[in-house]
Amino acid sequence: MNKTSTNNHHISFCENDLSDDLYEKYKQSKYLAVDTEAMGLFHGRDRLCLIQICDEFKLTSCIKVEKNIKKAKNIKKLFEDKNILKIFHFARFDVAAIKSNLEINIENIFCTKIASKLARTYTNKHGLKDLITELVGIDLDKTSQSSDWGSGRNLSQEQINYAANDVKYLIEAMEKLKIILKREGRYELAKNCFKAIPIHSELDIAHFSNIFDH
């Protein structure tokens, strides 16, 4: 396990799975923000390359996933723990990427993109950058969004910053979205939507598109 820091924010790097000591720390968490980076958006063709995790204390880890890795026991135990809320932005993709690559069925999900669409009905800007700018007051740098995450070389500083920032502020955004959802009477609807995410992800893995269309 290696460590680096960016903007006074420490990041741990692991290969193919969380280290045992990080797992022990994360399993005590109430919330975990999660994101992934892949070679593309097509499940089954474009492999998972990186998983980012951040807890409520800003403990952040990047787990680099090699090409032929199919199991990650510590990540599996963590993500299948029903007592920890896993927070994603556009969970549908990340849940499918993790399941199709590592055979993990993620439990207890909160999606800030779905929550944003239900809560922030005064705007049509529900991307992560716009969400974090409004709710957290941070302007995310997205210049490394499209880059080669599967390269065998070390990640660039720009990629590290991008990967860390995509999880660093999610928990704070989630908490503020919950306030709006509860105020507007839409929190129960949001929770029911979150429960449906694994089913949508299964459909995406099987490449069924627009199955709910007329």
Side-chain angles (χ1 to χ4, degrees):
M1 179 178 68
N2 298 318
K3 288 187 177 181
T4 188
S5 63
T6 175
N7 299 327
N8 298 318
H9 184 55
H10 295 284
I11 306 168
S12 297
F13 286 90
C14 303
E15 294 285 341
N16 301 319
D17 198 1
L18 272 174
S19 63
D20 290 341
D21 62 323
L22 282 170
Y23 167 73
E24 290 297 325
K25 291 177 182 178
Y26 281 133
K27 78 175 186 179
Q28 308 299 324
S29 303
K30 183 178 180 181
Y31 304 124
L32 289 177
V34 184
D35 189 34
T36 64
E37 307 300 338
M39 286 300 295
L41 303 178
F42 193 86
H43 301 299
R45 180 195 69 185
D46 299 323
R47 66 182 177 89
L48 179 67
C49 300
L50 194 73
I51 300 173
Q52 304 100 276
I53 302 173
C54 183
D55 68 6
E56 55 264 52
F57 305 107
K58 295 289 195 295
L59 175 64
T60 304
S61 300
C62 292
I63 303 97
K64 196 167 185 180
V65 181
E66 295 177 356
K67 188 172 184 180
N68 296 317
I69 296 299
K70 300 297 182 185
K71 302 286 184 182
K73 65 179 181 66
N74 283 340
I75 294 175
K76 181 178 177 67
K77 288 187 291 184
L78 200 63
F79 286 179
E80 293 185 354
D81 188 335
K82 296 179 181 180
N83 295 316
I84 303 172
L85 183 65
K86 273 70 69 175
I87 303 148
F88 301 83
H89 189 76
F90 192 43
R92 178 176 169 180
F93 175 82
D94 299 307
V95 169
I98 292 168
K99 180 176 177 60
S100 63
N101 284 268
L102 297 175
E103 300 178 9
I104 294 172
N105 296 302
I106 299 176
E107 299 277 0
N108 198 4
I109 297 166
F110 188 106
C111 178
T112 55
K113 188 159 194 173
I114 290 173
S116 177
K117 289 182 176 182
L118 289 173
R120 297 169 64 245
T121 49
Y122 49 82
T123 181
N124 61 358
K125 294 181 178 180
H126 302 289
L128 182 61
K129 182 178 176 67
D130 291 308
L131 184 68
I132 298 302
T133 297
E134 180 185 328
L135 297 184
V136 186
I138 299 293
D139 186 21
L140 295 180
D141 182 357
K142 306 295 283 184
T143 55
S144 293
Q145 185 170 19
S146 296
S147 59
D148 183 5
W149 295 99
S151 172
R153 59 176 168 76
N154 292 331
L155 297 177
S156 68
Q157 189 63 51
E158 289 76 16
Q159 286 177 306
I160 292 169
N161 291 342
Y162 170 83
N165 282 341
D166 270 7
V167 290
K168 185 177 178 182
Y169 307 104
L170 270 185
I171 293 174
E172 188 175 349
M174 176 273 297
E175 290 173 334
K176 293 188 176 182
L177 286 167
K178 279 176 66 175
I179 292 171
I180 302 172
L181 288 168
K182 290 179 178 180
R183 186 191 72 202
E184 299 302 317
R186 298 174 192 151
Y187 186 48
E188 292 303 316
L189 177 59
K191 289 196 292 185
N192 286 329
C193 290
F194 303 153
K195 291 176 184 177
I197 288 169
I199 297 172
H200 280 275
S201 296
E202 288 271 9
L203 290 168
D204 290 341
I205 292 169
H207 305 300
F208 284 105
S209 61
N210 304 318
I211 196 169
F212 292 100
D213 284 357
H214 190 284

